[in-house]
Amino acid sequence: MEMIFSLEQLPETVKAFWKVATNAHVIAFHGNIGSGKTTFIHTLCDSLGVKDVISSPTFSIINEYFFSESGATKKIFHIDLYRLKDEQEAIQAGVEDCLYGDHLCLIEWPEKIPSLLPDDTLHIFIEPVNDETRKLKIVDN
């Protein structure tokens, strides 16, 4: 499935995305620097009602956010693997615990840990169409 959207259309695109990704536990975002991965993740978190400050975890590697769903507090792990050298560093950072826990995991630069990703990971590819428009392609295994 593909979606083409502008920044102004991002909230509606995220609503459509959640209809497709309702059962996703681990969502891997692929794309070059500046493609819009963090912006899309920020809007995904906003749509869930996250009140925490949402920012790129490039230096911290893993950020935790919280939201409420059906009266229960839920957790999101936002993981950015850009600075990691290999899968061993990801394991040392605790990424594996996030991937195989009960929480939603949103991962930037998942190509750094291909063998660690669960088989049911939902892969999202984001690429610029032009300065104001992005194309998002959803690929599930």
Side-chain angles (χ1 to χ4, degrees), residues 18 24-29 37-38 40-42 44-45 48 50 52-58 60-67 73-81 90 93-110 113 117-118 121-122:
W18 279 129
H25 165 65
V26 176
I27 305 173
F29 291 86
K37 297 180 301 292
T38 303
F40 197 84
I41 289 171
H42 190 289
L44 286 173
C45 291
L48 294 173
V50 170
D52 303 295
V53 174
I54 302 162
S55 61
S56 177
T58 301
S60 61
I61 300 171
I62 303 169
N63 285 350
E64 292 181 17
Y65 311 128
F66 298 90
F67 68 101
T73 299
K74 304 272 185 144
K75 188 186 295 186
I76 298 171
F77 289 113
H78 180 188
I79 303 168
D80 186 330
L81 303 172
V95 169
E96 204 170 27
D97 294 333
C98 299
L99 295 174
Y100 292 94
D102 293 336
H103 309 289
L104 179 61
C105 294
L106 308 173
I107 306 170
E108 297 184 54
W109 305 100
I113 59 163
L117 295 172
T121 299
L122 184 65

Side-chain angles (χ1 to χ4, degrees), residues 118-130:
D119 291 339
D120 62 349
T121 299
L122 184 65
H123 292 272
I124 308 303
F125 296 84
I126 300 177
E127 64 182 65
V129 173
N130 57 43

